[in-house]
Amino acid sequence: MHPLAWLLSVIWLFATVVVAVVRGLRGAREGRAHLAAQRIKSPTIYLFSAYLLVAALVTPKSPGESTSPLLWLAFAIPLANGLAAVSSVGQTQPKGLTRAGLALLHGGAVLAAAACILAFVSPRFVPVWLGGPGAP
């Protein structure tokens, strides 16, 4: 993966963690921590992650893979969901731009994590535009 892609992905992930911690602490101080706990307890994300985990275990590794990227995504997605849930309690009713910015931040964090995972465990399958095989 290109060094710039690595840098942007790491910065994006770091920014997501910082925003989640700051907003989560504010929400906890204002008594909304229980809302984050309710969102984290929702089973949908864990069912999807379990599906990814099973798929990772039954799918044979391709040449050039150290492990299946699905295995790591099965752990990264609930973590990203937890950060989004904690971040969501920072305000009771965020305005449109804040809401859109948080959606972009947390959705982008999933993509940044996926890019990092792919570069680590399956560098052969990194797209050319991200600096994969065949990139100039």
Side-chain angles (χ1 to χ4, degrees):
M1 198 158 76
H2 288 302
L4 181 61
W6 271 111
L7 181 65
L8 290 175
S9 295
V10 169
I11 288 172
W12 199 288
L13 292 169
F14 181 74
T16 303
V17 170
V18 168
V19 167
V21 167
V22 169
R23 289 179 57 82
L25 288 174
R26 182 183 348 160
R29 270 187 262 124
E30 295 174 4
R32 291 189 297 271
H34 68 283
L35 297 173
Q38 286 175 345
R39 290 182 177 142
I40 290 171
K41 290 179 185 176
S42 176
T44 306
I45 199 76
Y46 304 110
L47 292 171
F48 179 67
S49 292
Y51 168 77
L52 289 176
L53 184 62
V54 169
L57 296 175
V58 300
T59 305
K61 288 188 301 187
S62 299
E65 282 185 339
S66 58
T67 59
S68 173
L70 297 176
L71 174 70
W72 299 105
L73 281 175
F75 296 108
I77 289 174
L79 181 61
N81 181 60
L83 289 172
V86 168
S87 180
S88 72
V89 298
Q91 282 177 281
T92 52
Q93 289 294 329
K95 301 296 180 216
L97 283 177
T98 303
R99 188 177 292 180
L102 288 171
L104 180 66
L105 179 70
H106 290 288
V110 173
L111 296 176
C116 291
I117 289 168
L118 191 63
F120 269 127
V121 300
S122 299
R124 183 174 164 199
F125 297 102
V126 173
V128 173
W129 58 272
L130 264 179

